[in-house]
Every structure is written in structure tokens, then in C-alpha cells.
Amino acid sequence: MKLTPLNIALAVILVWVISEWQFDQEMIFTWGWLIIWIVVVCLVDLAFRLIFKDLKQIWFLQIAFILIVGMLMIILKLQ
């Protein structure tokens, strides 16, 4: 399996959620939303791999995708 930015982002988020998981505190989001998010990220990664065969191009496009989604989340959060 090739390492891509979406795989790295998924791993970082999962480690963060698991490290913040405590029984006495409310979670940031539910397990259902976490599973849906994991499935969506995996499907987007799979789509990038099927559409683009060059690993270098996949890296650039996935980094751009992560940055665009991050900026959209910040913009939506500020409104």
C-alpha cells in the first residue's frame, strides 16, 4: 500500500481521537460520525488512486484537497 497524505491525515486524526477519548468527558464527535468520516476519506483516497496513476501527482492533489477542505472548514466555522 502506498503512503499518501490522506492516509497520513487519517492516521493522525485517529490517534488524536483515541488519545482524547476519556469516559468522563464528552467526545468531540460521536463514533458514528467518526466511522462515516473514515469511510469518506478512504473512498476519496481510492478515487484519487484510480483517477491518477502517478504517485507524485497524487501527493500534490491530495495535499491541495486537504488544504482546501481545511480552509472551507475554517470559513464555515467563522460564519
Side-chain angles (χ1 to χ4, degrees):
M1 179 171 209
K2 298 175 187 170
L3 189 63
T4 60
L6 285 177
N7 291 344
I8 296 168
L10 181 62
V12 168
I13 295 296
L14 286 175
V15 167
W16 174 63
V17 167
I18 291 170
S19 69
E20 293 293 320
W21 181 40
Q22 298 174 358
F23 291 109
D24 58 342
Q25 291 181 344
E26 184 178 331
M27 291 181 61
I28 295 172
F29 43 87
T30 63
W31 285 109
W33 282 113
L34 180 64
I35 292 170
I36 290 171
W37 185 80
I38 290 169
V39 169
V40 168
V41 169
C42 289
L43 289 175
V44 169
D45 184 49
L46 183 63
F48 273 113
R49 288 173 190 259
L50 290 174
I51 295 171
F52 305 103
K53 301 298 182 192
D54 182 28
L55 188 59
K56 186 176 181 180
Q57 191 175 20
I58 289 174
W59 268 81
F60 286 127
L61 292 172
Q62 285 189 2
I63 290 172
F65 176 78
I66 291 170
L67 290 174
I68 290 170
V69 169
M71 286 187 281
L72 287 174
M73 287 175 58
I74 291 171
I75 290 170
L76 291 174
K77 201 77 154 158
L78 291 176
Q79 290 184 357

